[in-house]
Amino acid sequence: MAAFKDAILAGLVAALLALPMLGFHLGDSAQGLQLETHLELVPLAAAIVFAGRLALNLAAPWLAKWKDRAPAGKPKLETGVSRRPLYIGIAMAAAALILPLTPWGDRNILDKATLVLIYVMLGWGLNIVVGLAGLLVLGYAAFYAVGAYAFAILSQMGFSFWQCLPISGAVAALFGLLVGFPVLRLRGDYLAIVTLGFGEIIRVILLNWASFTGGPNGISSIPRPSFFGMPMTASSPGHTTFHEFFDIPFSPVQRIVLLYYVILLLALVTNLVSLRIRRLPVGRAWDALREDEIACRSLGINPTSTKLSAFALGTAFAGFAGCFFATRQGFISPESFSFIESAVILAIVVLGGMGSQTGVVLAAILLVGLPEWFRDLAQYRMIAFGGAMVLIMLWRPKGLLAGRTPTIRLNKGDAA
Amino acid sequence: MNAPLLQVENLTMRFGGLIAINDLSLTARQNEITGIIGPNGAGKTTFFNCVTGFYKPTEGRLTLTPPDGGTWPLQAMQGFRIAKKARVARTFQNIRLFPGMTVLENLLVAQHNRLMAASAFSIAGLFGLKSYRKAEAEAVEKSRQWLARIGLEKSADLPAGSLPYGAQRRLEIARAMCTDPVLLCLDEPAAGLNPKESLELNDLLLDIRQTSKIGLLLIEHDMSVVMKISDHVVVLDYGARIAAGTPEQVRHDPNVIRAYLGADEDEPLPAVVAKDLGEQ
């Protein structure tokens, strides 16, 4: 009976929600906008929700039984420490390396893979700040924007991509330090809100300081990267182009392959640095700070400078990624660095499992790659996104690949 | 008599209208265990928080004179600098380990400042230079020795939070010792331990005093610990010092008995209480 009551309640709520969302519709007609009513959809929605809820309620005892039975086969020892084989990561990197050489490596796939790799790199960069140091940052796209605009503005003065790459990272890190210094004494939610605000400030400045940033029109004709000084164009007066040097016919795919390898290299550097720095004293201090700041102070660790170092490193990688983004697009505008961008990057980190490098790759493919492949279904993207989030929170509340690998082991022989 | 290590002069700590510590003066000496006892709310932990920089004292001076020279005005130093420069380490009343990190990692975090310098602020470490690898190996070796001393060598790669309570207490002491302190402040290290573990703790603390030659400050309610191992006991009540001396002197001090029992000083102690205070 309780199951029935609950289902009726769910149906009523569905009807209430469906009334404005499904019942009324603004339609474009010859007379301009007109209100169309589809009231027949409301009871339908209510009936579906009622039936679904009732079925779920009736099935609940079986579901519970099934859930109890399931883990019996594998006794679970929750130690929070896991050991993941290294070869998965190496295999993934190798697969990424040879992708352009395989028959699947056409222009379309490489373009999408490049986009995914940008987000993988951003995810790894943010992972340093959020996953390792435990600082919740909601404005990561701002530093991405700083890197992109640093390159775009410098390129107008005649600097090349390779000259600007380190500068972009340094400028983004400088912004990270400037923002971080006053706000890192805040914790958790407060830090998240301040960084959210900073992200908006950067976007609004980019939008309004038209003389410097081009305002809403953005900056266009940003130069493409060259291959050791050789431009990747059909012809270039005064320069030996890439295809002339290697004496091969010109093809626009060459440029795309170069871009792909550049971002792959950048992403792998990000990965190596974060894997390595985790095992260094500063990485362990980030871990420790995330777990207990008071204990850290009692051990003589300077919380401010330790957090700042995580912030600066993470934002530097955002700057590198931004520089690459600018050169790949050839055009940037403030639109590319909205809050949703920060949210997607954070979602990649959280979904992948905080601090997990492989998880970030999986989540980036899931959140950025799949929507690119299923562009025809774009209107259902947000439903899928929301659904995926709910499922993950239900089944893997700590992210796809959760669990922490110790940074060092004393008893090397023992398997954990 | 050993040279003074920590001199507390006229320390006062007020929280609004509440006077937690009132004009407290005491001296802790090198290579001695100084016990600090007192009824609940006497200001013992507040005193610790002042010494270790978690609170800034309202008035008074805390001067640390380590055996290797120099003087540190602790009342004017920031929390983490007291641990880093003046080398005062502490443990907490409610254990504060890094529960998700392994036992070994906990001890390595304690050696952060030395390793950080060795890794040239991560640059040398990032490239895996030999000087850093050597420093890290030394740090691991030091951790291993401490783990052997507290009997946790086998658990080195387990998360610290999964250890039994008594082991977590010992690990916290070892972690504090890994910072190479000149003064170790222990806030109720025996709380929650069973009698056997308490005895082991006594041995550990005496061993630390013996081998590391440092001063220890000890807050404890467990009289079987305080009275047995302290060289010197200070009794606080309502933030002020009401007695000080050897355990034997303090045990018979009428002020102490009054503070603890509210009894008339002429009245003999009940047998149970006398036993609790450690009188054989």
Side-chain angles (χ1 to χ4, degrees), chain A residues 70-85:
Chain A
K74 194 178 83 184
K76 244 187 183 171
L77 192 68
E78 279 288 345
T79 54
V81 169
S82 69
R83 208 176 207 183
R84 206 162 287 120

Side-chain angles (χ1 to χ4, degrees), chain A residues 289 296 300-307, chain B residues 80-81 84 112-113:
Chain A
L289 262 180
C296 276
I301 295 173
N302 182 345
T304 317
S305 68
T306 307
K307 284 184 191 174
Chain B
F80 77 90
R81 288 222 171 78
K84 184 176 175 176
H112 175 80
N113 287 316

Side-chain angles (χ1 to χ4, degrees), chain A residues 28-271:
Chain A
D28 228 349
S29 72
Q31 292 88 38
L33 285 181
Q34 279 208 322
L35 191 67
E36 297 164 12
T37 51
H38 295 284
L39 288 180
E40 72 282 358
L41 289 176
V42 176
L44 185 69
I48 292 174
V49 169
F50 170 75
R53 183 78 200 178
L54 190 62
L56 204 64
N57 281 340
L58 292 179
W62 283 287
L63 277 179
K65 231 185 258 170
W66 177 74
K67 219 175 174 182
D68 284 345
R69 196 183 44 115
K74 194 178 83 184
K76 244 187 183 171
L77 192 68
E78 279 288 345
T79 54
V81 169
S82 69
R83 208 176 207 183
R84 206 162 287 120
L86 188 65
Y87 56 80
I88 292 182
I90 294 177
M92 280 167 86
L97 262 179
I98 59 164
L99 178 69
L101 309 175
T102 60
W104 303 286
D106 63 2
R107 191 186 167 138
N108 182 20
I109 297 280
L110 284 183
D111 230 17
K112 283 169 184 167
T114 307
L115 185 72
V116 170
L117 278 172
I118 293 181
Y119 281 90
V120 169
M121 176 170 177
L122 286 169
W124 279 338
L126 184 61
N127 206 358
I128 295 176
V129 187
V130 178
L132 296 185
L135 306 166
L136 187 52
V137 170
L138 279 182
Y140 197 59
F143 303 104
Y144 183 39
V146 167
Y149 270 88
F151 170 44
I153 290 164
L154 283 173
S155 76
Q156 291 175 326
M157 303 171 188
F159 290 93
S160 77
F161 170 74
W162 294 108
Q163 288 167 329
C164 290
L165 188 63
I167 302 176
S168 295
V171 172
L174 186 71
F175 269 74
L177 288 176
L178 284 179
V179 179
F181 196 70
V183 307
L184 280 180
R185 63 189 64 227
L186 303 175
R187 267 175 228 190
D189 321 354
Y190 302 101
L191 180 67
I193 289 168
V194 172
T195 53
L196 175 78
F198 173 73
E200 283 306 290
I201 290 170
I202 288 283
R203 198 179 57 83
V204 171
I205 289 177
L206 292 177
L207 208 53
N208 289 294
W209 194 0
S211 59
F212 190 57
T213 65
N217 298 328
I219 298 176
S220 55
S221 61
I222 299 169
R224 305 294 186 168
S226 59
F227 185 77
F228 293 103
M230 293 176 283
M232 308 287 282
T233 48
S235 67
S236 171
H239 289 284
T240 317
T241 64
F242 177 77
H243 72 98
E244 282 165 4
F245 183 83
F246 287 99
D247 202 21
I248 45 173
F250 173 74
S251 149
V253 178
Q254 287 159 2
R255 200 190 74 221
I256 291 176
V257 173
L258 176 70
L259 282 174
Y260 174 79
Y261 276 123
V262 170
I263 186 66
L264 185 62
L265 182 77
L266 286 175
L268 286 179
V269 167
T270 313
N271 185 25

Side-chain angles (χ1 to χ4, degrees), chain A residues 275-365:
Chain A
L275 280 180
R276 189 129 199 124
I277 208 146
R278 242 198 98 210
R279 292 160 187 277
L280 291 182
V282 68
R284 292 198 195 104
W286 292 339
D287 253 343
L289 262 180
R290 197 188 58 214
E291 297 219 330
D292 196 330
E293 188 170 333
I294 288 177
C296 276
R297 277 198 289 170
S298 82
L299 296 173
I301 295 173
N302 182 345
T304 317
S305 68
T306 307
K307 284 184 191 174
L308 268 181
S309 63
F311 218 67
L313 190 68
T315 52
F317 284 123
F320 293 138
C323 182
F324 176 80
F325 176 77
T327 193
R328 173 182 181 250
Q329 302 294 98
F331 162 75
I332 51 168
S333 73
E335 228 174 281
S336 312
F337 309 103
S338 56
F339 167 68
I340 197 80
E341 211 61 19
S342 302
V344 166
I345 303 166
L346 186 67
I348 286 174
V349 174
V350 175
L351 211 60
M354 299 258 230
S356 159
Q357 299 292 98
T358 327
V360 165
V361 178
L362 290 182
I365 293 173

